[in-house]
Amino acid sequence: MYGFPVAKSGQVIGLLGGSFDPPHEGHVHITKAALKRFGLDHVWWLVSPGNPLKKNGPAPLNERIQAASAMMQHPRVRVTGVEAQLGTRYTAQTLQALQRRYPGVRFVWLMGADNLAQFHYWQDWRWIIDNVPIGVIARPGDRIAARLSKAGRMYAQSKVPSTASHIIGRLPAPAWSFVNLPMSNQSSTAIRARGEWK
């Protein structure tokens, strides 16, 4: 949980960031799919201290990490609190710090298609896409919005066909691939609204 994960030069590590407030089977589903579809050696869940785009703060970090660790049981997946350890607030800062800490490791940023649709609102979003390959996973109802997104249009020439998505981590950025999966409709927001989480 704490401490920095081990990674060797040349490995391809997928990074799935989020508040995980709470973690759910949808997170597990996309993680397992990402390992296979994007040719990843490992996936790290980056449980964030807080999302700058959300007004209300999440449950305490320790509780979310414990819940995520209990849910995500896979030998190639590591649940981490590295953003809190690094002291970074935004994704671009986290990626820059990880690239410095792990020279030679190839990181792939993982996101749902809903995040790609509003990606251009992220801090330093163009630095992210220019420096780290991105694996986009379709969630129900988000496919068209993601393809028509500002980031999707501006970086259309950097799109890797889904048939070649397994090489995304071996390509120089900018490179992104979009894969359609039968997705879980679970969401952290819905779970909280039903009172099933703190």
Side-chain angles (χ1 to χ4, degrees):
M1 271 191 308
Y2 293 103
F4 288 93
V6 175
K8 298 175 184 175
S9 180
Q11 284 187 322
V12 181
I13 308 292
L15 302 173
L16 183 65
S19 58
F20 297 95
D21 186 35
H24 53 72
E25 284 299 326
H27 295 128
V28 174
H29 180 69
I30 65 172
T31 298
K32 290 179 178 177
L35 279 165
K36 181 178 178 182
R37 296 295 298 272
F38 298 122
L40 307 173
D41 294 307
H42 298 276
V43 170
W44 297 350
W45 282 16
L46 306 183
V47 183
S48 66
N51 183 339
L53 294 180
K54 292 185 178 178
K55 292 178 184 175
N56 299 323
L61 180 62
N62 283 347
E63 292 179 23
R64 291 181 285 124
I65 288 177
Q66 288 174 1
S69 297
M71 176 158 285
M72 186 69 252
Q73 300 285 321
H74 193 287
R76 290 165 52 204
V77 181
R78 176 83 186 270
V79 175
T80 79
V82 297
E83 284 186 305
Q85 293 171 263
L86 292 168
T88 54
R89 180 173 166 87
Y90 296 102
T91 299
Q93 296 172 336
T94 300
L95 291 171
Q96 290 163 5
L98 288 174
Q99 286 179 336
R100 286 191 300 269
R101 190 172 188 91
Y102 296 95
V105 172
R106 304 185 66 87
F107 291 108
V108 175
W109 184 255
L110 304 173
M111 66 168 64
D114 55 331
N115 280 322
L116 182 64
Q118 48 104 40
F119 189 48
H120 57 284
Y121 294 115
W122 291 25
Q123 178 94 4
D124 298 324
W125 70 275
R126 294 200 64 170
W127 182 92
I128 297 170
I129 202 167
D130 285 337
N131 288 275
V132 181
I134 296 176
V136 183
I137 300 163
R139 289 175 26 151
D142 294 323
R143 293 175 171 91
I144 294 173
R147 288 193 176 110
L148 298 178
S149 68
K150 182 174 181 177
R153 291 194 317 271
M154 287 181 67
Y155 285 86
Q157 297 301 316
S158 302
K159 187 170 184 279
V160 176
S162 60
T163 53
S165 62
H166 60 284
I167 65 167
I168 190 81
R170 306 283 176 196
L171 299 175
W176 64 285
S177 189
F178 182 99
V179 297
N180 289 310
L181 300 174
M183 294 300 298
S184 164
N185 280 305
Q186 283 197 22
S187 78
S188 297
T189 303
I191 292 169
R192 289 195 304 272
R194 291 194 301 266
E196 297 171 12
W197 181 247
K198 300 163 179 46

